[in-house]
Amino acid sequence: KTLEVIEVDRLLDAARQTGRTPSDKLRNTCLMELLYATGMRVTELVSLPVTAARGDPRMLLIRGKGGKERMVPLSPPARQALATWLNTRDEIEDDRNSKGQSSSLFLFPSRGKTGHLTRHWFYQLIKDLAITGGLNPDKVTPHTLRHAFATHLLANGADLRAIQTLLGHS
């Protein structure tokens, strides 16, 4: 299962429009841009430490299954979404700190037990984005976007071994 480029574009557009607040929309846009630009697993995405995103990176260091690390490049739209979200996230964290609350170590903080957004929360978000984008929600999962990342790279001439490395496959 994969998605066409036009379907991914519709999901990305839906992320820009979806959220209760402007900061929710920026967060959702960043989540989706990063997921599609990097092919990360959803757990890798939601648990990404904020330190990995500092300094306008062109690459992200991802800690994958079994603690294996890999570098993944960021597309210009993903870098822009990341920079915009990081500014907003830092403002939110500064506000929390001023109220005596501790800072989160995660790029996508949550008040839940883990301290970051959950896989389940993101799974529901992507279903909502599919509906907003006019796509069949049964066809859209975080893993489908991972497949789309790999398929679109391959279709545009990327080396299969390079794609395997980006995905964290041995």
Side-chain angles (χ1 to χ4, degrees):
K1 284 184 175 180
T2 191
L3 299 169
E4 300 294 325
V5 172
I6 189 76
E7 293 172 310
V8 172
D9 287 341
R10 286 163 61 188
L11 280 174
L12 293 171
D13 287 341
R16 291 181 193 99
Q17 302 167 28
T18 302
R20 291 171 293 155
T21 65
S23 62
D24 284 355
K25 293 174 184 178
L26 294 174
R27 180 203 57 217
N28 294 346
T29 300
C30 185
L31 282 161
M32 293 302 292
E33 287 284 1
L34 287 179
L35 187 65
Y36 180 59
T38 64
M40 278 189 271
R41 294 173 181 94
V42 68
T43 300
E44 296 166 346
L45 175 65
V46 296
S47 65
L48 198 62
V50 70
T51 54
R54 295 285 183 208
D56 190 24
R58 295 185 187 281
M59 308 270 286
L60 284 180
L61 178 64
I62 307 299
R63 185 172 308 250
K65 282 185 174 179
K68 288 193 297 186
E69 292 182 337
R70 68 184 187 282
M71 296 291 290
V72 293
L74 292 176
S75 66
R79 286 181 62 216
Q80 180 59 52
L82 179 59
T84 303
W85 165 242
L86 199 53
N87 285 334
T88 300
R89 179 216 173 271
D90 288 349
E91 289 172 9
I92 293 167
E93 287 294 304
D94 287 346
D95 185 54
R96 288 175 47 82
N97 289 343
S98 73
K99 295 175 182 169
Q101 298 170 332
S102 60
S103 294
S104 174
L105 300 175
F106 300 102
L107 181 58
F108 302 106
S110 166
R111 287 174 288 193
K113 186 170 68 170
T114 62
H116 57 75
L117 299 177
T118 64
R119 291 169 42 97
H120 179 76
W121 179 91
F122 186 79
Y123 186 84
Q124 187 57 54
L125 172 68
I126 209 167
K127 296 296 182 182
D128 293 343
L129 295 178
I131 292 166
T132 301
L135 302 172
N136 178 350
D138 294 336
K139 184 179 180 183
V140 182
T141 67
H143 204 73
T144 308
L145 246 69
R146 189 167 152 84
H147 280 234
F149 161 80
T151 302
H152 299 166
L153 281 176
L154 193 59
N156 286 293
D159 176 69
L160 185 59
R161 182 68 191 124
I163 295 170
Q164 285 178 313
T165 301
L166 292 173
L167 291 170
H169 292 175
S170 43

